[in-house]
Amino acid sequence: MLKNIPALMPPELMKIMLEMGHGDELLLCDGNYPKFGCPERCVRMDGHGISEILEMILQFFPLDAYVEHPTSLMAVVAGDPYKPEIWEEYRAIGNKHEAKGLREETLEKPAFYEKGRHCYACVATGEKALYANVILKKGVVK
Protein backbone atom coordinates (compact mmCIF):
# COMPACT_ATOMS: atom_id res chain seq x y z
CA MET A 1 0.00 0.00 0.00
CA LEU A 2 1.04 3.58 -0.64
CA LYS A 3 -0.18 6.77 0.93
CA ASN A 4 -2.07 9.52 -0.88
CA ILE A 5 -2.82 7.49 -4.02
CA PRO A 6 -6.53 7.87 -4.89
CA ALA A 7 -8.51 4.64 -4.60
CA LEU A 8 -9.78 5.32 -8.12
CA MET A 9 -6.23 5.13 -9.58
CA PRO A 10 -5.57 1.82 -11.37
CA PRO A 11 -1.94 0.73 -10.88
CA GLU A 12 -1.46 0.37 -14.63
CA LEU A 13 -2.49 4.01 -15.20
CA MET A 14 -0.01 5.25 -12.58
CA LYS A 15 2.69 3.14 -14.26
CA ILE A 16 1.82 4.56 -17.68
CA MET A 17 1.92 8.16 -16.42
CA LEU A 18 5.32 7.49 -14.84
CA GLU A 19 6.63 6.00 -18.10
CA MET A 20 5.45 8.94 -20.20
CA GLY A 21 7.92 11.66 -21.06
CA HIS A 22 7.63 15.31 -21.96
CA GLY A 23 5.42 15.70 -25.02
CA ASP A 24 3.79 12.27 -24.79
CA GLU A 25 0.01 12.35 -24.94
CA LEU A 26 -2.75 10.59 -22.98
CA LEU A 27 -6.22 10.09 -24.46
CA LEU A 28 -9.28 10.04 -22.19
CA CYS A 29 -12.14 8.66 -24.26
CA ASP A 30 -15.86 8.53 -23.65
CA GLY A 31 -18.05 5.44 -23.85
CA ASN A 32 -18.84 6.01 -27.55
CA TYR A 33 -15.22 6.39 -28.72
CA PRO A 34 -14.23 3.88 -31.45
CA LYS A 35 -11.34 1.45 -31.11
CA PHE A 36 -9.73 2.59 -34.39
CA GLY A 37 -8.99 5.95 -32.77
CA CYS A 38 -7.10 4.40 -29.84
CA PRO A 39 -3.46 3.48 -29.32
CA GLU A 40 -2.55 -0.10 -28.34
CA ARG A 41 -2.02 0.69 -24.64
CA CYS A 42 -5.40 1.09 -23.03
CA VAL A 43 -6.55 1.23 -19.40
CA ARG A 44 -10.23 0.36 -18.88
CA MET A 45 -12.16 2.50 -16.40
CA ASP A 46 -15.65 1.79 -17.72
CA GLY A 47 -17.54 2.55 -14.51
CA HIS A 48 -16.22 6.10 -14.26
CA GLY A 49 -16.68 9.46 -15.97
CA ILE A 50 -13.96 11.58 -17.48
CA SER A 51 -14.37 14.50 -15.04
CA GLU A 52 -13.50 12.37 -12.01
CA ILE A 53 -10.62 10.73 -13.87
CA LEU A 54 -9.30 14.10 -15.10
CA GLU A 55 -9.43 15.41 -11.53
CA MET A 56 -7.37 12.44 -10.37
CA ILE A 57 -4.85 12.55 -13.24
CA LEU A 58 -4.10 16.26 -13.00
CA GLN A 59 -2.97 15.80 -9.38
CA PHE A 60 0.10 14.03 -10.81
CA PHE A 61 0.29 14.91 -14.52
CA PRO A 62 1.76 18.30 -15.51
CA LEU A 63 0.46 19.80 -18.75
CA ASP A 64 3.06 20.94 -21.27
CA ALA A 65 3.91 24.60 -20.60
CA TYR A 66 5.93 24.88 -23.84
CA VAL A 67 3.01 24.50 -26.26
CA GLU A 68 0.04 26.78 -26.80
CA HIS A 69 -2.56 24.01 -26.50
CA PRO A 70 -1.57 21.04 -24.30
CA THR A 71 -5.20 19.89 -24.21
CA SER A 72 -7.28 18.82 -27.22
CA LEU A 73 -11.05 18.40 -27.23
CA MET A 74 -13.18 16.86 -29.98
CA ALA A 75 -15.01 19.63 -31.85
CA VAL A 76 -18.76 19.43 -32.26
CA VAL A 77 -19.64 18.21 -35.77
CA ALA A 78 -20.81 21.04 -38.05
CA GLY A 79 -24.58 21.38 -37.90
CA ASP A 80 -24.92 19.56 -34.57
CA PRO A 81 -26.64 21.98 -32.13
CA TYR A 82 -25.25 20.14 -29.07
CA LYS A 83 -23.26 22.27 -26.61
CA PRO A 84 -20.73 20.18 -24.60
CA GLU A 85 -21.52 21.28 -21.04
CA ILE A 86 -18.86 18.90 -19.71
CA TRP A 87 -16.15 21.18 -21.13
CA GLU A 88 -16.90 23.71 -18.38
CA GLU A 89 -16.30 20.97 -15.79
CA TYR A 90 -12.98 20.18 -17.48
CA ARG A 91 -11.97 23.85 -17.45
CA ALA A 92 -12.79 24.16 -13.73
CA ILE A 93 -10.67 21.08 -12.99
CA GLY A 94 -7.84 22.41 -15.17
CA ASN A 95 -7.91 25.78 -13.40
CA LYS A 96 -7.64 24.00 -10.05
CA HIS A 97 -4.50 22.08 -11.02
CA GLU A 98 -2.76 24.26 -13.64
CA ALA A 99 -1.89 27.95 -13.22
CA LYS A 100 -2.92 28.66 -16.82
CA GLY A 101 -5.74 26.10 -17.00
CA LEU A 102 -6.15 23.55 -19.78
CA ARG A 103 -5.36 25.96 -22.67
CA GLU A 104 -7.39 23.73 -24.95
CA GLU A 105 -7.92 23.54 -28.68
CA THR A 106 -10.73 21.76 -30.52
CA LEU A 107 -10.01 19.31 -33.31
CA GLU A 108 -12.45 18.06 -35.95
CA LYS A 109 -13.44 14.41 -35.48
CA PRO A 110 -11.08 12.88 -38.12
CA ALA A 111 -8.09 14.88 -36.84
CA PHE A 112 -8.92 13.99 -33.23
CA TYR A 113 -9.12 10.26 -34.08
CA GLU A 114 -5.79 10.45 -35.91
CA LYS A 115 -4.13 12.22 -32.99
CA GLY A 116 -5.74 9.76 -30.55
CA ARG A 117 -4.30 6.78 -32.43
CA HIS A 118 -0.80 8.16 -31.86
CA CYS A 119 -1.15 8.84 -28.13
CA TYR A 120 1.11 7.00 -25.70
CA ALA A 121 -1.96 5.40 -24.09
CA CYS A 122 -5.68 5.83 -23.59
CA VAL A 123 -8.10 5.57 -20.71
CA ALA A 124 -11.41 4.10 -21.89
CA THR A 125 -14.21 5.37 -19.67
CA GLY A 126 -17.92 4.95 -19.23
CA GLU A 127 -18.50 8.67 -19.85
CA LYS A 128 -21.94 9.26 -21.36
CA ALA A 129 -21.60 12.95 -22.28
CA LEU A 130 -21.18 13.64 -25.97
CA TYR A 131 -17.93 15.21 -27.24
CA ALA A 132 -16.29 14.41 -23.91
CA ASN A 133 -13.01 13.08 -25.33
CA VAL A 134 -9.78 14.74 -24.18
CA ILE A 135 -6.10 14.46 -25.13
CA LEU A 136 -3.52 15.71 -22.61
CA LYS A 137 0.10 16.51 -23.54
CA LYS A 138 2.50 15.82 -20.69
CA GLY A 139 4.82 18.56 -19.53
CA VAL A 140 7.71 18.66 -17.12
CA VAL A 141 7.82 18.98 -13.35
CA LYS A 142 9.71 22.16 -12.43
Side-chain angles (χ1 to χ4, degrees):
M1 299 268 303
L2 298 173
K3 299 189 299 182
N4 303 319
I5 303 295
L8 178 64
M9 178 67 76
E12 63 184 315
L13 179 54
M14 182 61 82
K15 178 183 182 293
I16 284 169
M17 291 193 306
L18 286 164
E19 290 171 348
M20 292 174 70
H22 179 215
D24 285 336
E25 294 177 313
L26 181 65
L27 165 65
L28 309 179
C29 49
D30 64 29
N32 290 308
Y33 197 83
K35 174 64 178 141
F36 76 81
C38 289
E40 281 189 38
R41 270 184 218 91
C42 187
V43 176
R44 306 269 345 164
M45 293 187 72
D46 299 279
H48 303 283
I50 291 177
S51 291
E52 67 180 319
I53 295 168
L54 183 64
E55 174 75 43
M56 174 188 65
I57 286 172
L58 289 181
Q59 293 178 57
F60 307 101
F61 192 98
L63 294 180
D64 195 339
Y66 300 107
V67 298
E68 187 176 357
H69 302 292
T71 306
S72 300
L73 303 172
M74 182 182 285
V76 176
V77 173
D80 186 344
Y82 184 78
K83 302 268 189 265
E85 296 170 11
I86 199 163
W87 291 1
E88 287 307 316
E89 290 178 32
Y90 294 171
R91 290 178 184 124
I93 293 166
N95 288 335
K96 181 177 170 185
H97 295 283
E98 291 285 323
K100 295 182 180 178
L102 295 178
R103 297 174 292 126
E104 76 271 2
E105 66 180 345
T106 58
L107 299 175
E108 299 298 322
K109 224 178 214 190
F112 192 95
Y113 289 151
E114 182 63 22
K115 188 172 186 176
R117 283 185 41 233
H118 296 287
C119 286
Y120 187 87
C122 78
V123 178
T125 75
E127 181 59 61
K128 293 179 181 145
L130 301 176
Y131 301 102
N133 307 299
V134 182
I135 296 173
L136 305 171
K137 183 181 287 284
K138 189 175 183 186
V140 298
V141 176
K142 294 181 180 183

